[in-house]
Amino acid sequence: MGGYEDSPLKNENGAGGERSFLESLSDDSLLNYISQLSQGQTQALPQKQRESQRPRLSQLVEHQEKWGDRDKDHDKDQDKDQDQFEAQAQAQQDEGQDQYQYRDQEYSRDDYFHDKARQQLAQDEVFREKYGGGKGGGIFDGCSIYINGFTRPGRLQLHEMIVLHGGRFVHYMSAKGQVSHIVASNLPLKKRVELRNYKVCRPEWIVDSIKTKRLLPWQNYSLFQAQDQAQRPLPLLLPPVPVEENVVDCKHPHFLEQFFAHSRLHHLSSWKADLRAHFLEKFIENSSNPPPQVAPNQFTVLHIDFDCFFASVAALCTPDVDISVDPVVVCHGTKSSDIASCNYVARQYGIRNGMWVSHAEKLIPADVKLVRLSYNFDQFEVKSKAFYQVLHDLEFQLVLPISIDEAVCCVTRRLSREQCEELCQRVRSMVALKTACSVSVGCSDSLVLARLTLKRAKPDGYQILTQSELDQSFLTGLKPRDLPGVGPSLVDKLETHFQQRPLDLAQLQESSLNSLQRCVGEKLGNKIYLALRGKDDEESAKMLYDPQSVFQRKSLSIDINWGVRFDTIHEIDQFIDRCTQYLTDKLESLNRATSQITLRVMRRCKDEAIEPSKYLGMGRCDPFNRSTRLGVPTSEPGIIATEVKSSFRSLGCPPRDLRGIAIQFKLEDVRKRRTALQQQLKLPLVDASVYENLPQDVKKEVGQELKRRKIGISKAAKAASPAFRASSYEERFMQELPTQIRQEVRNDIRITKKARKTKLGEMQEHILKRQEKAKNYKAHFLGEASIFEPIQFQGETRFKKIIHMVLEWVDGTIPGEGPHEHDLHLFDKYLNRLSDANRLPLMLRLAKLVATRLDLRCEKYGSSNGFQEWEKVLLTVILPKLNKNKHTFQTVRKLDIDFDT
DNA sequence: TAGCGTAGCAAG
DNA sequence: CATCGCTTGCTACGCTA
């Protein structure tokens, strides 16, 4: 089984930006190709040749068999489709809204576009012969040119010029490697980024080359240079664009980055994750040595923690601030800004961490000045590093990271009181020496007591107490809140349950296990019961006995609950895309995958002000959760984003009421992954013997490509026949739909298939059942921005009727002048509404049907204005809509249809 | 009764 | 100016097969 190190090939575009031949293949084609190579059926071409000739395996291997009688069958298929349509339409006439109908469409790869491309190549040839373009010796010999968007001169004229002068006119950007030049007059930013590695030039390149009768250097006509110059602001009219430093608009592409850069909580979380990862790394590295086994009750632990870490470090970095005299707080602002950390002088006035600055100001006497310091995240890291270095140098058997400023250190034997004293003092003086900050230390023979003694030791001190020394007097001064795992909510529960406010730990110790469990639940009750006796519960002790499992990452998530203000679902979609990208990048670097995604949406409470008192804060919100199982682990941003967007819609939160978003991935178990799962879940595998048989020169390349795609090489797979197990395209297609839609499609297929075979009665029963279900579903989810709102076109909401209408419209206008502008505008609006509602399958189906229609009429009307107009509509209106959601577009890419225009 | 999805909580 | 309310993991609880 090959390892899965970080993929070196990720997005690695070579000069010229061409994808390598292997990269351009779909998984199936790749596997097919490998197996053929292995059997010597396909000639392994040298790199150069492969690049230029670029055999379309998809065509060679899979099309050929079907090609012959495909055209003949086409009309028949179409009729059959229509019949099915009618049958369903009939059966569902009374349902009124059959919006969720999808049909078992064959989205096979031998599609309109391939047929079309073939035909057009042939046409070009005819054209060239007819008008006597140079056979060889043409100006554009060897150039494959693609025209993007509106140009001047127009597409048709350029097409003619290119073909007549020996060039190849590329109609669709299906495999980007096939294109040598792209001609465009203007490109939107997104496109520019996408195509930045291509030779993109203005149409004048073609015109001028023909004029001068030689191929001019394309660089002189580079579109990007021209556009960059055009976009540069005039120096006097516009003020210099400031470097955007503080982006607080969540619609801005760099919002996440900016927000995180300033968020203390984000820093705390990621520091913690880093520390844990680092710990694991070391732990595994050292596991060749005898691993530090902690025997039950035979250890000493020190819980070590900085005194008001942020405040101390920030004060150290600021001259004229004395942490022992001035009341210091660390915060961003002056009013509704959270206090991240305050020193003990400030605490004397009742100021606490988490309090708003405005509140703190009120607590301070008029003659005292509250010192507000800003965060210095870099310095926090520096101090923390020094801190952990000290701990490592002290040669504890275990240094368990709790957070940036806090650690639990373990000695795997019981130390005498004197030894404990010495150790505590040693730690404190060493840290003070290296960081100029004070830490406090709690020391005991259990984790929980170390934690409690630490509380007592603060600030700037240490305390030692063993389980046997624990008595009433120690507990008397402590509150339930001091127990680990007990927060405000549990305190309230306990105080209510025991009718004692405030509640003392000494009192609580007297209550029975049973009583505690009734109050807070089984496990928590037990945990508190044990803690009051100085003992660790099993869950907490795991940290000592099996730190590896405790520190192993089990989930990955992103939470944004500040600055979230959107107006439209598109903006939210974009935001989801960015969040997903952020997470999948991490997934990639962790080399892990997810198969369960949870979306949490924070929605403004009905009675909460639009703008809460905290600047850009979330205010009071209602949370909504939705989780989805993918069935197959993935790290593909496209698949994941589709899923999340779908979940978002199903929660029906109006865009303007959104105040927070969280996306969480449950991670696959690291040990089970890749071996058992791959086989169980039918991920494609390449047989090791097949791989071994590959010619040497290709083997390495193929190996890298397989790794990039996370396709395993299996020694176990059957040596002989099917070299891989790849699911059908239909299945693949389904895999990439949002689960919710997928379920509907599946359901539909099942019903259609069954209805074909079974008796009328059964069919009706099914339909009744489904109607019922659909009704319930609908009742549940009807709301703003729901995906289930009926979408109208020409006063019609039934999709099958709409399809009929559109097809009639297409048919009726092809022989003439094409669609009327007004009609087109209405159609465009309808498509937008579909797109807004994420009704991808409907859009796909519509696109596919129009494409098929054009295909059918091509022979007869191919040269008519109407046909060409419609072709333009397909390429510039319909398909770009599918492209708009790049993530869903993936589905399409896999099918080898390229919807780029 | 196990397993699932959702919600809530605590921690730093 | 404001302000940067994250992220992980456990537990409880209600529901359903």
Side-chain angles (χ1 to χ4, degrees):
Chain A
M1 224 16 88
Y4 288 89
E5 296 82 17
D6 280 353
S7 161
L9 287 181
K10 186 189 168 198
N11 284 337
E12 215 177 59
N13 275 341
E18 295 193 351
R19 295 154 85 209
S20 86
F21 169 55
L22 289 179
E23 276 179 90
S24 74
L25 294 178
S26 70
D27 280 2
D28 287 6
S29 300
L30 175 71
L31 293 170
N32 223 339
Y33 182 57
I34 293 168
S35 88
Q36 286 186 25
L37 275 181
S38 156
Q39 293 159 29
Q41 284 176 7
T42 303
Q43 198 82 44
L45 297 168
Q47 181 71 22
K48 271 277 154 54
Q49 241 175 321
R50 261 183 271 146
E51 283 302 322
S52 57
Q53 293 193 356
R54 196 169 289 276
R56 294 301 300 262
L57 275 181
S58 50
Q59 292 173 334
L60 295 180
V61 181
E62 290 170 26
H63 282 222
Q64 226 150 34
E65 348 166 344
K66 293 188 181 178
W67 185 256
D69 40 22
R70 182 180 142 77
D71 285 347
K72 258 183 280 160
D73 285 352
H74 216 122
D75 268 310
K76 240 194 288 168
D77 284 349
Q78 192 68 21
D79 291 340
K80 210 165 66 196
D81 281 358
Q82 292 296 347
D83 288 345
Q84 276 175 27
F85 247 108
E86 294 299 339
Q88 280 193 6
Q90 206 58 47
Q92 309 221 342
Q93 199 132 55
D94 295 326
E95 192 182 332
Q97 286 146 331
D98 40 320
Q99 292 263 326
Y100 348 89
Q101 269 197 59
Y102 312 109
R103 200 171 33 122
D104 180 5
Q105 270 281 350
E106 239 190 83
Y107 288 107
S108 64
R109 56 199 346 235
D110 42 337
D111 188 85
Y112 169 78
F113 294 91
H114 286 318
D115 306 0
K116 194 81 186 135
R118 272 176 55 118
Q119 283 174 9
Q120 274 163 335
L121 271 183
Q123 274 173 16
D124 285 354
E125 203 49 55
V126 171
F127 192 68
R128 202 181 330 220
E129 302 241 316
K130 206 165 165 185
Y131 298 99
K135 252 259 169 213
I139 297 168
F140 301 112
D141 274 350
C143 294
S144 297
I145 301 165
Y146 174 77
I147 311 284
N148 186 89
F150 177 81
T151 52
R152 188 150 280 253
R155 191 185 167 82
L156 274 179
Q157 285 153 291
L158 288 173
H159 182 169
E160 208 176 295
M161 295 181 192
I162 292 165
V163 171
L164 283 180
H165 293 88
R168 200 163 77 78
F169 181 85
V170 181
H171 291 262
Y172 312 104
M173 290 272 289
S174 48
K176 294 201 170 153
Q178 287 182 326
V179 176
S180 70
H181 295 78
I182 295 172
V183 168
S185 290
N186 189 28
L187 281 183
L189 187 65
K190 201 179 145 207
K191 228 25 198 203
R192 294 178 59 189
V193 173
E194 200 178 301
L195 301 178
R196 66 188 177 283
N197 291 323
Y198 287 84
K199 299 171 182 168
V200 184
C201 45
R202 287 172 287 125
E204 287 81 4
W205 173 62
I206 292 183
V207 178
D208 292 358
S209 289
I210 292 173
K211 242 186 240 165
T212 55
K213 295 190 172 133
R214 64 189 181 87
L215 190 70
L216 298 170
W218 71 274
Q219 288 89 342
N220 295 353
Y221 296 85
S222 165
L223 178 69
F224 295 154
Q225 276 174 19
Q227 277 201 338
D228 285 344
Q229 274 162 16
Q231 285 179 359
R232 199 166 296 154
L234 297 173
L236 288 176
L237 296 177
L238 293 169
V241 180
V243 182
E244 292 173 88
E245 271 180 353
N246 287 315
V247 178
V248 286
D249 186 348
C250 59
K251 296 163 193 168
H252 193 284
H254 291 145
F255 170 76
L256 275 188
E257 201 181 314
Q258 286 290 334
F259 172 58
F260 283 161
H262 293 95
S263 163
R264 71 183 197 280
L265 292 173
H266 169 79
H267 276 93
L268 283 168
S269 297
S270 41
W271 283 330
K272 185 168 179 162
D274 291 347
L275 285 166
R276 286 175 162 219
H278 185 236
F279 171 88
L280 280 180
E281 221 170 89
K282 279 191 103 166
F283 194 82
I284 291 162
E285 198 177 289
N286 291 341
S287 62
S288 45
N289 306 332
Q293 276 297 324
V294 182
N297 295 319
Q298 289 301 315
F299 56 83
T300 305
V301 282
L302 272 67
H303 200 133
I304 310 164
D305 181 279
F306 275 82
D307 302 321
C308 51
F309 183 58
F310 281 13
S312 308
V313 177
L316 276 180
C317 303
T318 319
D320 305 329
V321 171
D322 188 342
I323 193 90
S324 61
V325 179
D326 307 315
V328 174
V329 297
V330 175
C331 55
H332 282 296
T334 53
K335 234 189 104 224
S336 67
S337 175
D338 278 14
I339 291 172
S341 171
C342 60
N343 69 344
Y344 283 81
V345 180
R347 286 180 206 202
Q348 280 174 6
Y349 298 107
I351 296 172
R352 293 287 176 271
N353 291 350
M355 204 176 253
W356 283 7
V357 176
S358 56
H359 188 185
E361 297 278 11
K362 281 182 205 149
L363 297 172
I364 288 261
D367 57 330
V368 183
K369 187 159 164 33
L370 182 66
V371 178
R372 285 183 286 108
L373 298 179
S374 52
Y375 297 81
N376 192 337
F377 294 115
D378 291 343
Q379 270 307 302
F380 299 156
E381 277 184 52
V382 169
K383 298 289 182 188
S384 174
K385 258 202 174 135
F387 167 65
Y388 274 99
Q389 191 57 55
V390 168
L391 300 183
H392 285 301
D393 291 347
L394 284 171
E395 296 188 353
F396 290 102
Q397 272 84 24
L398 274 176
V399 177
L400 303 167
I402 304 298
S403 78
I404 179 95
D405 68 333
E406 186 179 347
V408 165
C409 300
C410 181
V411 182
T412 51
R413 65 201 155 87
R414 291 227 179 179
L415 299 183
S416 69
R417 185 156 197 100
E418 290 70 36
Q419 288 172 314
C420 287
E421 296 250 350
E422 203 203 310
L423 192 51
C424 290
Q425 286 166 9
R426 184 96 174 276
V427 167
R428 281 171 35 78
S429 61
M430 286 292 286
V431 175
L433 184 70
K434 298 282 181 184
T435 68
C437 293
S438 70
V439 291
S440 300
V441 183
C443 174
S444 180
D445 50 356
S446 75
L447 287 168
V448 65
L449 270 195
R451 182 85 166 41
L452 288 174
T453 48
L454 168 66
K455 206 115 212 168
R456 277 294 183 78
K458 278 180 173 244
D460 197 15
Y462 69 94
Q463 205 182 88
I464 303 156
L465 187 81
T466 63
Q467 289 176 55
S468 56
E469 292 162 347
L470 174 65
D471 59 9
Q472 286 271 318
S473 68
F474 179 80
L475 290 177
T476 310
L478 292 168
K479 302 250 157 312
R481 187 59 241 260
D482 296 322
L483 292 171
V486 177
S489 167
L490 277 188
V491 168
D492 190 64
K493 254 189 189 171
L494 287 167
E495 286 180 346
T496 310
H497 185 260
F498 292 99
Q499 312 219 330
Q500 189 85 220
R501 213 178 287 250
L503 188 60
D504 197 61
L505 281 196
Q507 296 168 309
L508 196 59
Q509 195 192 26
E510 288 164 20
S511 57
S512 70
L513 172 64
N514 202 276
S515 173
L516 278 167
Q517 288 182 322
R518 258 183 292 130
C519 174
V520 297
E522 193 186 321
K523 289 218 169 176
L524 280 175
N526 184 243
K527 182 185 167 120
I528 292 172
Y529 182 81
L530 290 174
L532 290 166
R533 283 149 189 81
K535 294 185 169 70
D536 297 321
D537 65 305
E538 218 171 302
E539 189 61 42
S540 318
K542 251 171 88 179
M543 191 183 264
L544 288 173
Y545 303 130
D546 188 5
Q548 216 176 332
S549 85
V550 172
F551 290 136
Q552 180 62 246
R553 190 187 265 282
K554 296 158 197 81
S555 73
L556 176 67
S557 62
I558 184 172
D559 278 61
I560 311 290
N561 297 298
W562 186 86
V564 176
R565 298 289 186 278
F566 291 107
D567 295 312
T568 69
I569 187 83
H570 302 294
E571 292 164 357
I572 295 172
D573 278 348
Q574 267 193 356
F575 192 70
I576 290 175
D577 279 335
R578 292 187 191 117
C579 291
T580 306
Q581 194 61 54
Y582 175 86
L583 287 178
T584 50
D585 284 351
K586 288 211 163 176
L587 265 191
E588 196 77 13
S589 67
L590 296 168
N591 196 10
R592 307 216 22 200
T594 177
S595 61
Q596 189 182 352
I597 303 170
T598 306
L599 169 73
R600 199 196 60 228
V601 159
M602 292 306 233
R603 178 181 174 173
R604 180 178 66 88
C605 285
K606 267 215 141 57
D607 54 351
E608 174 66 308
I610 302 285
E611 283 309 326
S613 41
K614 188 184 184 74
Y615 176 67
L616 287 182
M618 66 195 295
R620 281 187 312 111
C621 285
D622 293 319
F624 298 91
N625 284 269
R626 176 125 312 170
S627 60
T628 38
R629 283 165 184 278
L630 298 174
V632 179
T634 185
S635 56
E636 280 284 314
I639 297 175
I640 294 168
T642 306
E643 211 55 61
V644 175
K645 290 174 197 176
S646 171
S647 295
F648 181 83
R649 284 166 172 79
S650 82
L651 289 172
C653 172
R656 287 177 212 272
D657 285 346
L658 184 67
R659 289 293 175 271
I661 278 193
I663 301 168
Q664 180 172 51
F665 297 162
K666 190 171 177 245
L667 298 184
E668 290 300 297
D669 190 311
V670 102
R671 274 160 299 190
K672 281 190 212 155
R673 217 172 85 249
R674 288 174 191 160
T675 47
L677 268 177
Q678 260 188 349
Q679 309 216 356
Q680 274 171 26
L681 298 169
K682 300 183 189 163
L683 285 184
L685 286 173
V686 173
D687 191 322
S689 66
V690 170
Y691 177 69
E692 291 305 322
N693 271 343
L694 291 177
Q696 273 307 318
D697 60 328
V698 227
K699 199 159 150 186
K700 196 180 151 204
E701 201 186 342
V702 165
Q704 283 181 335
E705 186 65 15
L706 287 176
K707 198 192 279 179
R708 192 179 71 85
R709 296 181 189 217
K710 305 205 185 343
I711 293 174
I713 297 169
S714 158
K715 290 201 175 99
K718 272 175 266 163
S721 52
F724 61 92
R725 295 197 295 167
S727 36
S728 71
Y729 275 95
E730 181 181 292
E731 193 50 34
R732 290 287 199 86
F733 171 72
M734 301 278 279
Q735 294 282 350
E736 298 196 10
L737 291 174
T739 40
Q740 203 177 357
I741 295 177
R742 193 194 306 163
Q743 211 46 54
E744 292 178 43
V745 177
R746 280 236 164 84
N747 210 20
D748 212 70
I749 290 174
R750 198 169 50 78
I751 290 173
T752 324
K753 280 184 182 162
K754 196 157 184 187
R756 239 179 266 156
K757 284 191 232 158
T758 57
K759 288 160 272 162
L760 192 66
E762 262 178 83
M763 193 169 128
Q764 279 170 342
E765 196 179 309
H766 260 301
I767 287 164
L768 274 177
K769 246 189 194 168
R770 203 171 59 142
Q771 278 176 3
E772 194 59 33
K773 205 179 157 192
K775 257 186 220 155
N776 292 340
Y777 217 21
K778 197 156 187 156
H780 191 60
F781 287 121
L782 256 188
E784 277 187 80
S786 157
I787 60 173
F788 295 108
E789 267 188 50
I791 296 163
Q792 275 201 9
F793 178 57
Q794 299 285 290
E796 183 58 77
T797 57
R798 282 169 295 183
F799 190 64
K800 59 177 185 296
K801 293 278 179 197
I802 292 175
I803 280 196
H804 269 298
M805 209 148 55
V806 170
L807 289 182
E808 258 175 52
W809 177 37
V810 173
D811 272 346
T813 48
I814 278 183
E817 290 299 311
H820 189 282
E821 209 169 301
H822 177 70
D823 294 344
L824 203 55
H825 177 65
L826 293 175
F827 185 57
D828 187 53
K829 273 169 76 178
Y830 171 63
L831 288 177
N832 283 338
R833 288 195 297 272
L834 281 183
S835 165
D836 292 353
N838 211 22
R839 307 299 295 269
L840 176 75
L842 298 190
M843 296 186 65
L844 270 178
R845 201 161 111 197
L846 212 47
K848 168 95 180 171
L849 280 173
V850 172
T852 316
R853 214 49 160 206
L854 287 180
D855 196 22
L856 279 172
R857 303 285 178 254
C858 178
E859 208 171 323
K860 199 163 168 196
Y861 298 107
S863 54
S864 83
N865 274 346
F867 183 89
Q868 281 172 14
E869 281 299 310
W870 268 111
E871 192 179 19
K872 206 169 95 191
V873 170
L874 179 68
L875 292 174
T876 60
V877 178
I878 305 179
L879 302 186
K881 303 251 193 271
L882 291 169
N883 247 344
K884 206 164 78 186
N885 298 315
K886 201 69 183 176
H887 60 285
T888 32
F889 170 56
Q890 253 198 353
T891 310
V892 173
R893 184 172 57 83
K894 283 249 160 126
L895 300 168
D896 235 32
I897 307 165
D898 200 313
F899 285 159
D900 264 4
T901 54

